[in-house]
């Protein structure tokens, strides 16, 4: 079953959701279709308001509906929830304007288990956002064991028992609690607790899915609704249709996945190896038209997804799990020390059988356990030695300890790391590291068989990270020990673990190869953002040049703002560079800091809301405090916080009288947030938001880019440019792009720093697209206030 409707008279004009496309949209749709026909990709930089979402969806749906096309689906990937909602809205617009004889385009939004599990959403049965994955896997395992081969019952019997319990409660007239569990406002057939069969807990929703699952057929047959005329199924509708019927929404999502025409998801749905391997692998093939939205984030997002690591707590738990598997056999084999009971002998028998099936020996389990134990001791020794060097009296006051990094090699001289060398000297070769993965997997399997607990085992994660440590090279990857500030009262008073979480980190510095490999598995598609320039750097660092060299066409389009120039003023304010050397500490009063406050204050006198982006949260706090002394309007400060706090801050900013909102350019309020209409009158960016250039990880990143993309690369640009400067400029451009998003919107965009205004050895003006360089004319600080006043006077007179 596939919901696609192949029509001989298909045309993208019939798919397009509005009466007429912008000229840029029409050009981009044609280019995307042409590139995809040759298994290629279109790379689009389009200013806010260009209509990139509709452009990409129209091209993709056209390919899926065309009878001569090999494409079966469109997969949209984005890193911003706001953009996911925009794709949902545009798909609904497409469906609302299709020809009358066309079926609606089927679609599905992918989310995690916590978002769709009825128990997790209601926070009942011991299941919430933190426990849902472990509890779900445990409940599923027990449900399958009950109904599988040699199981005690059938899926149908479990479903009947769960439903009869509900019926019995209703018949009894009980009034001391809810009679049923609701999900997304829809009542389900089950109680708020999980079900039991002869003292074995199971999930009735999953039992229903198994009961409906055909023995040899397609899982789509277990889906309790028809996709044919439904159009896009969002999260709420998926839950209502599934849980309301009584089946598992997450299982239904997986069954529907290969059969819809448009799938909306996150980058990890295509680039995270574990997610692809366990859930979304069916989407990654040559029949998929992929859309990478917010593609300026593709490189950093994938870098995180293909990096790895393991914490000290995970290593400790893995060692304990290894011990729990080894001990029953050790007790059985040592008659002089044996205190084993029949249960322990049964455990030993189970363990021997599982080891035999997995081709893993007891000696290998013992070797890995000893290795993990010694590794923990070596990490402990290194952390203590580092703290003794950096802060000799650290034990006297652990509250002084900040986040820290312990590089395991010179960040600027790729070589084998010190921990690998230590292991080799201790007798642990590459094979030991790699064997940890197979050992970890079998340990988890044995414990899940032997112990009735819904917990995520540590051994598989630890084993995978240790194996990857040995498999990866030492140029593209950088290894270090990360120390993250925490506080654990259970640790000894003078132990570093009281103040720190330690983690072995394996950083993929140059993810372009992983990006190119995964993109190469798709049939073609579109990569798009408002900030991709310089294109040569984007193509090189994301591996697109490698795909082009392999014969995959790569087309480019750049579309600037097409809205009236009279509706906007763009300033590159020539004030002193907001560098660490120039600005000094936050408590200082110097010409650089005073100049930036004065410039931002001039812009903040605009008649409406003003967004101010600073290089980091600490400088944002300083700027907010300084502006409160200068302005007679509210000044809000965005701090690093959770989603709820951020949403509340946005609501406060948008409501009532005009305000100033100061945030970090590395936060969440300068990208993907919709400041449509009159929500924003101006945006100012102070400084260039470079990440900490002194940290070992950043130095290693810069070195890796120097070696990969420096003088020998196509761009011939330094690692500092490709790895640090260009991403920072994209952050700044994203922030100022919040202001003008439609033909009727009016506002000011300001880049406040001499590096944007004029040429110098560290100027960043060249990284702005040509059209923006022309618009962002340099302005002296003494004329800025006049320019702001004149712009708004002219705007008011129109």
């Amino acid at each position: 079953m596939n919901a696609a409707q192949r029509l001989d008279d298909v045309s993208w004009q019939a798919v397009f959701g509005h009466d007429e496309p912008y000229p840029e949209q029409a050009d981009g749709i044609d280019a995307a279709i042409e590139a995809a026909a040759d298994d290629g990709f279109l790379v689009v930089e389009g200013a806010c308001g260009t209509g990139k979402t509709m452009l990409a969806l129209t091209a993709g749906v056209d390919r899926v509906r065309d009878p001569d096309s090999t494409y079966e689906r469109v997969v949209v990937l984005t890193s911003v929830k706001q953009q996911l909602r925009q794709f949902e809205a545009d798909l609904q617009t497409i469906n609302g304007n299709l020809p009358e004889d066309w079926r609606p385009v089927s679609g599905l939004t992918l989310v995690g288990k916590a978002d769709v599990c009825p128990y997790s959403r209601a926070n009942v049965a011991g299941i919430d956002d933190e426990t849902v994955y472990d509890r779900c896997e445990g409940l599923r395992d027990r449900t399958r064991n009950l109904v599988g081969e040699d199981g005690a019952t059938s899926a149908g019997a479990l479903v009947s028992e769960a439903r009869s319990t509900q019926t019995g409660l209703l018949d009894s007239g009980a009034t001391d609690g809810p009679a049923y569990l609701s999900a997304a406002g829809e009542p389900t057939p089950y109680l708020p607790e999980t079900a039991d069969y002869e003292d074995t807990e199971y999930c009735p929703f999953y039992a229903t899915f198994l009961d409906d699952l055909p023995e040899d057929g397609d899982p789509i047959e277990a889906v309790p609704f028809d996709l044919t005329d439904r159009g896009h199924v969002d999260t709420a509708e998926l839950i209502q249709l599934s849980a309301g019927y009584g089946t598992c929404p997450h299982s239904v999502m997986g069954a529907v996945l290969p059969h819809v025409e448009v799938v909306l998801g996150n980058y990890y749905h295509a680039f995270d190896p574990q997610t692809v391997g366990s859930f979304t692998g069916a989407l990654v093939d040559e029949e998929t038209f992929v859309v990478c939205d917010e593609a300026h984030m593709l490189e950093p997002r994938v870098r995180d997804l293909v990096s790895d690591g393991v914490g000290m707590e995970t290593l400790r738990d893995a060692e304990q799990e290894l011990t729990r598997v080894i001990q029953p056999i050790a007790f059985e084999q040592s008659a002089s020390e044996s205190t084993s009971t029949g249960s322990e002998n049964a455990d030993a028998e189970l363990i021997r059988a599982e080891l035999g099936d997995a081709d893993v020996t007891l000696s290998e389990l013992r070797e890995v356990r000893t290795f993990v134990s010694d590794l923990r001791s070596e990490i402990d020794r290194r952390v203590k030695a580092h703290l003794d060097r950096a802060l000799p009296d650290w034990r006297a006051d652990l509250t002084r300890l900040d986040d820290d990094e312990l590089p395991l090699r010179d960040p600027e001289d790729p070589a084998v790391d010190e921990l690998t060398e230590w292991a080799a000297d201790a007798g642990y070769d590459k094979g030991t590291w790699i064997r940890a993965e197979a050992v970890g997997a079998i340990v988890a399997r044995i414990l899940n068989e032997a112990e009735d607990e819904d917990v995520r085992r540590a051994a598989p994660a630890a084993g995978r990270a240790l194996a990857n440590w040995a498999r990866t090279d030492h140029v593209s990857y950088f290894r270090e020990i990360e120390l993250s500030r925490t506080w654990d009262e259970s640790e000894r008073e003078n132990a570093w673990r009281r103040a720190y979480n330690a983690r072995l980190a394996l950083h993929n510095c140059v993810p372009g190869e992983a990006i190119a490999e995964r993109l190469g598995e798709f049939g073609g598609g579109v990569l798009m953002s408002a900030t991709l320039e310089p294109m040569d750097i984007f193509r090189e660092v994301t591996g697109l040049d490698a795909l082009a060299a392999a014969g995959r066409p790569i087309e480019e389009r750049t579309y600037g703002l097409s809205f009236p120039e009279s509706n906007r003023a763009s300033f590159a304010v020539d004030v002193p560079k907001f560098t660490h050397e120039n600005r000094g500490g936050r408590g200082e009063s110097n010409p650089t800091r005073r100049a930036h406050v004065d410039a931002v204050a001039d812009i903040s006198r605009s008649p409406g809301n003003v967004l101010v982006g600073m290089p980091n949260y600490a400088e944002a706090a300083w700027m907010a405090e300084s502006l409160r002394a200068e302005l007679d309007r509210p000044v809000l400060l965005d701090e690093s916080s959770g989603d709820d706090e951020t949403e509340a801050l946005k609501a406060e900013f948008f409501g009532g009288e005009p305000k100033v909102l100061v945030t970090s350019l590395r936060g969440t309020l300068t990208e993907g947030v919709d400041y449509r209409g009159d929500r924003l009158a101006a945006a100012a960016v102070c400084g260039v938001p470079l990440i900490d250039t002194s940290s070992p990880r950043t130095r290693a990143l810069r070195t890796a880019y120097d070696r990969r993309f420096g003088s020998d690369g196509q761009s011939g640009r330094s690692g500092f440019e490709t790895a640090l400067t260009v991403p920072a400029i994209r952050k700044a451009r994203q922030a100022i792009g919040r202001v003008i998003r439609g033909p009727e919107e009016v506002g000011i965009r300001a880049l406040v720093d001499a590096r944007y205004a004029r040429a110098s050895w560290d100027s960043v003006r060249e990284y702005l697209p040509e059209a923006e360089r022309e618009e962002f004319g340099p302005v002296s600080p003494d004329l800025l206030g006049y320019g702001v006043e004149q712009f708004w006077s002219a705007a008011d007179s129109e």
Side-chain angles (χ1 to χ4, degrees):
M1 170 183 172
N2 191 302
Q5 182 182 23
R6 304 282 191 174
L7 295 174
D8 291 336
D9 60 346
V10 69
S11 67
W12 71 254
Q13 287 83 359
V15 173
F16 190 75
H18 302 291
D19 292 338
E20 290 291 336
Y22 296 135
E24 296 87 352
Q25 283 179 310
D27 177 70
I29 293 167
D30 284 335
I33 291 172
E34 184 176 345
D38 293 328
D39 303 324
F41 296 87
L42 173 68
V43 182
V44 178
E45 174 173 308
C48 294
T50 304
K52 298 185 294 296
T53 304
M54 185 62 75
L55 181 163
L57 280 177
T58 299
V61 173
D62 172 270
R63 292 296 81 210
V64 171
R65 289 285 175 103
D66 191 306
D68 297 323
S69 169
T70 60
Y71 289 96
E72 292 289 335
R73 70 193 66 85
V74 181
V75 171
V76 175
L77 309 170
T78 183
S79 60
V80 181
K81 285 185 177 180
Q82 176 75 31
Q83 290 301 105
L84 205 64
R85 303 289 87 82
Q86 184 61 53
F87 276 99
E88 289 180 333
D90 276 16
L91 185 54
Q92 290 172 354
T93 299
I94 287 175
N95 279 333
N97 291 278
L98 288 175
E100 291 185 3
D101 58 338
W102 282 35
R103 288 205 307 267
V105 178
S106 59
L108 178 70
T109 300
L110 295 184
V111 292
K113 285 183 181 179
D115 296 305
V116 295
C117 172
Y119 298 118
S120 176
R121 291 174 63 91
N123 196 16
V124 296
I127 302 176
D128 55 28
D129 286 355
E130 294 184 1
T131 63
V132 62
Y133 289 93
D134 296 335
R135 288 279 283 140
C136 176
E137 289 308 306
L139 287 166
R140 285 187 173 192
D141 286 343
R142 284 192 285 279
T143 307
R144 283 191 294 263
N145 290 338
L146 283 170
V147 305
E149 189 176 352
D150 300 326
T153 185
S154 67
L158 292 181
V159 174
S160 296
E161 179 162 327
R163 289 176 181 263
S164 65
T165 302
Q166 167 70 8
T167 303
L169 182 62
L170 291 172
D171 290 345
S172 71
T175 60
D176 58 348
Y180 52 82
L181 176 66
S182 290
E186 186 76 14
T188 78
Y190 309 122
L191 299 176
E193 297 81 28
T194 55
D196 286 297
Y197 178 84
E198 296 182 355
D199 296 326
T200 298
E201 186 186 26
Y202 69 93
C203 174
F205 293 98
Y206 188 58
T208 301
F209 182 79
L210 293 179
D211 188 39
D212 292 340
L213 197 64
E215 189 170 330
D216 298 315
D218 192 318
I220 193 67
E221 296 179 39
V223 174
F225 55 88
D226 187 0
L227 290 172
T228 305
D229 297 312
R230 190 162 293 279
H232 181 74
V233 179
D234 63 18
T235 302
E237 188 175 10
L238 174 72
I239 295 168
Q240 291 164 353
L241 292 170
S242 303
Y245 168 82
T247 194
C248 169
H250 190 264
S251 298
V252 168
M253 184 166 61
V256 167
L257 197 58
H259 297 274
V260 293
E261 294 170 275
V262 178
V263 178
L264 308 180
N266 195 292
Y267 278 130
Y268 67 79
H269 288 120
F271 290 98
D272 176 48
Q274 294 182 67
T275 302
V276 173
S278 63
F279 190 62
T280 55
L283 303 179
V284 183
D285 64 17
E286 67 280 359
E287 295 180 341
T288 295
F289 181 101
V290 67
V291 177
C292 292
D293 185 39
E294 299 295 329
H296 68 284
M297 293 301 297
L298 180 61
E299 182 190 8
R301 286 285 187 268
V302 175
R303 177 183 291 120
D304 290 341
L305 292 172
V306 296
S307 295
D308 208 341
V310 59
M312 280 284 275
E313 290 186 3
T314 302
L315 289 174
R316 179 201 62 199
D317 293 345
E319 183 182 350
Q320 292 174 351
E321 290 170 5
L322 283 157
T323 298
R324 296 210 302 275
V325 171
I326 292 170
Q327 275 183 341
I329 296 181
F331 288 160
E332 184 183 66
Q333 290 176 343
S334 179
S336 61
E337 299 175 8
S338 176
T339 59
S340 59
T341 64
S343 174
E344 288 168 335
N345 286 329
D347 287 343
E349 184 176 342
L350 167 67
I351 292 166
R352 282 195 301 270
E354 291 287 353
L355 291 178
D357 291 342
D359 197 23
V360 173
T361 66
L362 182 62
S363 63
E364 288 173 334
L365 261 67
R366 287 172 170 154
E367 177 196 29
V368 171
R369 181 181 64 172
T370 304
F371 173 50
V372 171
S373 177
D374 290 348
L375 182 60
R376 291 178 57 217
S377 297
E378 178 62 12
I379 295 170
D380 181 76
R381 184 193 68 78
R382 286 177 175 271
V383 173
K384 288 177 182 175
H386 168 76
L387 294 175
D388 287 341
R389 288 191 303 270
L391 195 66
D393 61 343
W394 62 272
R395 292 174 180 83
D397 185 5
L398 296 178
T399 62
R400 292 182 297 166
L401 299 180
D402 295 320
D403 288 358
D404 207 347
E405 297 174 82
L406 282 68
L408 294 171
R409 66 161 169 85
D410 183 343
E412 296 170 359
D413 184 18
V416 176
D417 67 279
E418 296 170 3
L419 207 57
T420 299
E421 291 180 336
W422 159 83
D425 292 341
Y428 302 116
D429 61 12
K430 182 177 180 179
T432 306
W433 293 84
I434 292 177
R435 272 192 295 277
E437 184 168 29
V439 166
I442 191 60
V443 163
R445 189 186 312 164
I446 290 170
L447 292 179
N448 288 339
E449 286 283 336
E451 300 176 357
D452 187 19
E453 291 181 290
D454 293 335
V455 296
R456 187 173 301 180
R457 307 297 176 181
R464 184 184 63 252
L466 295 178
N468 286 337
W469 190 279
R471 290 189 184 113
T472 50
D473 68 80
H474 294 271
V475 177
S476 300
Y477 287 81
F478 177 64
R479 294 156 173 82
E480 65 178 1
I481 299 172
E482 292 178 339
L483 297 177
S484 302
R485 180 80 178 139
T486 186
W487 195 256
D488 186 353
E489 292 284 354
S490 66
E491 293 286 350
R492 290 183 295 107
E493 288 189 9
N494 62 350
W496 63 263
R497 287 181 297 276
R498 191 178 178 91
Y500 275 137
N501 284 327
R503 179 177 179 269
L504 286 182
L506 177 65
H507 299 297
N508 184 324
C509 296
V510 190
E513 186 175 326
I515 296 172
E517 182 178 351
R518 183 48 46 85
L519 287 178
E521 296 180 60
F522 292 108
V526 175
L527 293 85
M528 62 190 197
S529 171
T531 56
L532 294 182
E533 293 281 1
M535 282 289 195
D536 61 334
I537 291 180
F538 176 77
R539 287 179 52 141
E540 192 165 39
V541 300
T542 55
L544 289 175
D545 280 345
L547 286 177
R552 304 289 293 273
I554 309 295
E555 295 294 326
E556 297 178 15
R557 292 292 189 276
T558 299
Y559 305 123
L561 276 174
S562 59
F563 310 129
E565 286 192 33
S566 59
N567 283 1
R568 60 187 184 269
S570 306
F571 302 115
V573 188
D574 192 4
V575 294
K577 303 169 186 177
F578 201 66
T579 61
H580 187 271
E581 182 179 1
N582 283 355
R583 67 184 184 246
R586 290 190 299 278
E588 293 186 24
S589 177
N590 56 48
T592 297
R593 288 190 177 275
R594 285 195 298 273
H596 280 264
V597 171
D598 290 344
V600 173
D602 283 340
I603 296 162
S604 296
R605 294 186 177 95
S606 295
N609 286 337
V610 177
L611 180 70
V612 180
M614 302 298 294
N616 54 56
Y617 282 111
E619 293 297 346
W622 164 78
M623 178 59 78
E625 182 180 358
S626 301
L627 289 176
R628 287 171 183 143
E630 297 283 332
L631 303 173
D632 58 357
R633 62 168 60 185
V635 178
L636 307 179
L637 173 63
D638 174 37
E639 300 175 284
S640 182
S641 59
D643 288 342
D644 291 343
E645 293 87 347
T646 300
E647 289 301 314
L649 181 65
K650 283 164 54 180
E652 183 180 2
F653 183 50
F654 295 150
E657 62 181 312
K659 305 175 186 67
V660 177
L661 173 58
V662 188
T663 185
S664 166
L665 289 163
R666 312 202 72 82
T668 59
L669 290 177
T670 57
E671 293 191 37
V673 178
D674 188 2
Y675 296 94
R676 66 183 181 276
D678 60 357
R679 287 182 169 186
L680 199 61
V685 167
C686 285
V688 178
L690 295 165
I691 59 177
D692 181 7
T693 58
S694 64
S695 77
R697 181 182 178 184
T698 304
R699 289 160 55 205
L701 184 68
R702 176 180 174 180
T703 299
Y705 273 66
D706 262 329
R707 287 173 173 252
R708 184 67 63 86
F709 306 119
S711 59
D712 296 332
Q714 176 180 318
S715 65
R717 299 179 188 264
S718 71
F720 192 94
E721 290 177 282
T722 52
L724 303 178
T725 305
V726 169
I729 300 307
R730 289 177 181 145
K731 289 284 185 185
R733 293 181 61 214
Q734 281 284 323
I736 60 171
R738 301 301 98 194
V739 182
I740 305 295
R741 304 177 68 82
E744 305 301 322
E745 296 185 7
V746 180
I748 289 176
R749 307 176 298 168
L751 298 169
V752 185
D753 190 299
R755 287 170 289 183
Y756 297 108
R758 52 189 166 87
S760 65
W761 69 271
D762 57 351
S763 173
V764 297
R765 192 169 175 81
E766 67 174 289
Y767 302 109
L768 301 176
E770 183 178 353
E772 286 185 14
R773 287 199 300 271
E774 292 177 358
E775 283 203 41
F776 279 86
V779 61
S780 63
D782 55 322
L783 294 178
L784 176 63
Y786 175 77
V788 170
E789 183 179 339
Q790 286 294 104
F791 171 76
W792 288 115
S793 294
D796 289 341
S797 65
E798 292 184 1

